[in-house]
Amino acid sequence: MQNIVTTYKRYRTLQTHVISTMPVVILMPHSACNCRCVMCDIWKANHHLKQLTETDIATLLQTLKKLGTQQVLMSGGEALLHPLFFSFCSILKKQHIKISLLSTGLLLKKHAAAVAEWVDDVIVSLDGDETMHDHIRNIPGAYDKLTEGIYTIKKLKPHFRITARTVIHQQNFRIWPQIIECAQAMGLDQISFLPADVSSHAFNRAILWDAERQQDIVPSAADLPALLLMTNEVIQEYQPLFESGFIAESPAKLKGIYLHYAAYYGLNIQPVRKCNAPWVSAVVEADGTVRPCFFHAPYGNIKHNNLHHIINSNEAIAFRKNLDMENDDTCKNCVCSLYLKPQTPL
């Protein structure tokens, strides 16, 4: 149970914009990725490898202990590509920090035993049925490798939690029901859905996508009625899976995917999303860059200063204090928000 002191510190952080406790930290141990996804450019920098070191993790640990960090999400790229990934996990686990791994799933079978030992849960990417998943990932056999990895971990540790995240976009929205059924067939514990980000510098977009590139991913205006119809079909046909929690979002949040794309064409405003990510988390990239979330600009680097100083610098405090999420373009177009109430345990 979360203690009173931690809850009080989280309230104070929201009130003063000075971070005294940080429940969640996202680390990107390795910059490379073993997929070539159509909606992501991370893989395009695979020849410019960046990665965190054991020294980086050990130094970060001082701040994580001070801020009472409870969970570290290992993201990327593909974190399992880092040769010292499980050494990083060992360092963190000694401080009783929960580790979640966001993965393409291609290396889960190879590292199944170590994942089951050192990681608390895994979140994989699932983009469609076998044909569509392999097409979107641009990796032949990606679906089979993902399935085998899930099966191998579950065989070793039946109650190990493995969930999926699916980006719904132009290329896969028509097979939304098949995605849900594939998730069930794989033995996943849950699946969540979100729209594609096409407007930010996240996912290694040094240069923002132009309109033509965005149209490869965003459903066309002519396809919006079909998207709405499919959304309503999923809500109606899979109601028991909403009730059981297998589908993570509520029906209302699922409709937000359609609203997000409709807003792209100016047909409505973007749905309001509750988010306090810059007050409860931070992102540390493979080169040490620190961001308040995946999408906002960086405000420091752990190679030059410690994390505690970075997140409580004058620049960082001013950013949080002046961030108007209802009117900030980055926040309004965000596809992946994080909201933790002070009293909410992880």
Side-chain angles (χ1 to χ4, degrees):
M1 179 179 291
Q2 184 174 293
N3 63 45
I4 295 174
V5 173
T6 299
T7 301
Y8 171 75
K9 285 182 177 180
R10 284 167 65 174
Y11 269 112
R12 290 293 295 162
T13 294
L14 294 174
Q15 291 170 345
T16 65
H17 309 289
V18 177
I19 293 177
S20 55
T21 181
M22 178 171 283
V24 181
V25 171
I26 298 96
L27 300 183
M28 299 180 180
H30 199 273
S31 65
C33 189
N34 51 9
C35 285
R36 301 166 63 88
C37 299
V38 299
M39 62 284 189
C40 176
D41 287 345
I42 289 176
W43 57 272
K44 292 183 179 180
N46 281 1
H47 55 289
H48 296 305
L49 179 62
K50 301 169 185 174
Q51 57 186 22
L52 296 175
T53 67
E54 281 190 304
T55 300
D56 292 330
I57 301 300
T59 303
L60 275 172
L61 193 61
Q62 299 173 14
T63 297
L64 304 190
K65 288 168 62 178
K66 185 174 184 178
L67 295 175
T69 300
Q70 300 168 263
Q71 182 179 20
V72 167
L73 277 74
M74 297 290 199
S75 186
E78 173 55 64
L80 288 175
L81 288 172
H82 200 302
L84 298 177
F85 174 75
F86 294 107
S87 295
F88 294 174
C89 292
S90 176
I91 293 171
L92 295 168
K93 294 295 280 186
K94 287 177 182 177
Q95 297 300 322
H96 308 290
I97 294 174
K98 178 182 176 182
I99 297 172
S100 296
L101 169 63
L102 281 67
S103 176
T104 65
L106 299 185
L107 295 174
L108 288 182
K109 181 179 180 181
K110 178 180 178 181
H111 298 293
V115 169
E117 179 180 0
W118 291 107
V119 176
D120 292 279
D121 68 283
V122 172
I123 304 167
V124 298
S125 298
L126 177 63
D127 296 301
D129 56 14
E130 181 177 355
T131 300
M132 182 60 70
H133 183 81
D134 290 0
H135 166 71
I136 290 174
R137 296 266 133 189
N138 275 307
I139 300 292
Y143 185 91
D144 286 340
K145 290 178 180 178
L146 172 60
T147 303
E148 290 169 1
I150 294 167
Y151 172 80
T152 305
I153 292 174
K154 289 285 191 178
K155 187 176 181 181
L156 289 170
K157 201 170 184 179
H159 298 294
F160 188 91
R161 183 170 173 82
I162 306 177
T163 61
R165 179 175 293 175
T166 299
V167 178
I168 295 294
H169 53 77
Q170 169 67 18
Q171 299 190 27
N172 66 1
F173 81 84
R174 293 175 179 83
I175 62 165
W176 204 334
Q178 290 94 310
I179 297 172
I180 295 170
E181 288 161 14
C182 287
Q184 290 180 295
M186 284 179 169
L188 291 166
D189 295 289
Q190 189 181 61
I191 187 166
S192 65
F193 300 98
L194 70 162
D197 169 64
V198 298
S199 61
S200 80
H201 284 287
F203 311 107
N204 193 44
R205 297 186 194 119
I207 300 175
L208 291 177
W209 284 356
D210 59 24
E212 182 178 357
R213 179 68 180 91
Q214 292 180 25
Q215 286 299 311
D216 291 337
I217 303 301
V218 175
S220 68
D223 282 330
L224 286 179
L227 174 59
L228 180 58
L229 187 66
M230 179 57 70
T231 303
N232 290 333
E233 178 183 325
V234 167
I235 291 171
Q236 182 177 354
E237 294 296 321
Y238 295 96
Q239 185 60 38
L241 299 186
F242 289 98
E243 294 172 356
S244 69
F246 183 79
I247 296 177
E249 289 78 20
S250 66
K253 285 188 176 181
L254 215 63
K255 285 185 177 179
I257 295 176
Y258 164 79
L259 294 173
H260 176 84
Y261 289 126
Y264 178 87
Y265 295 101
L267 301 180
N268 52 251
I269 63 171
Q270 285 287 1
V272 176
R273 298 178 180 88
K274 281 188 175 182
C275 181
N276 57 10
W279 289 264
V280 300
S281 67
V283 176
V284 181
E285 298 181 349
D287 64 352
T289 296
V290 179
R291 296 177 183 270
C293 70
F294 282 107
F295 305 101
H296 277 287
Y299 45 35
N301 190 299
I302 62 168
K303 305 287 188 182
H304 309 140
N305 217 325
N306 70 68
L307 180 62
H308 189 271
H309 178 83
I310 292 168
I311 62 175
N312 281 320
S313 66
N314 291 336
E315 177 187 356
I317 293 171
F319 167 80
R320 290 188 291 271
K321 184 177 181 179
N322 296 316
L323 181 58
D324 179 1
M325 290 188 172
E326 291 187 9
N327 296 299
D328 181 87
D329 285 340
T330 298
C331 292
K332 285 194 299 182
N333 293 304
C334 182
V335 300
C336 185
S337 57
L338 171 66
Y339 182 70
L340 288 178
K341 293 180 180 180
Q343 68 273 24
T344 302
L346 294 184

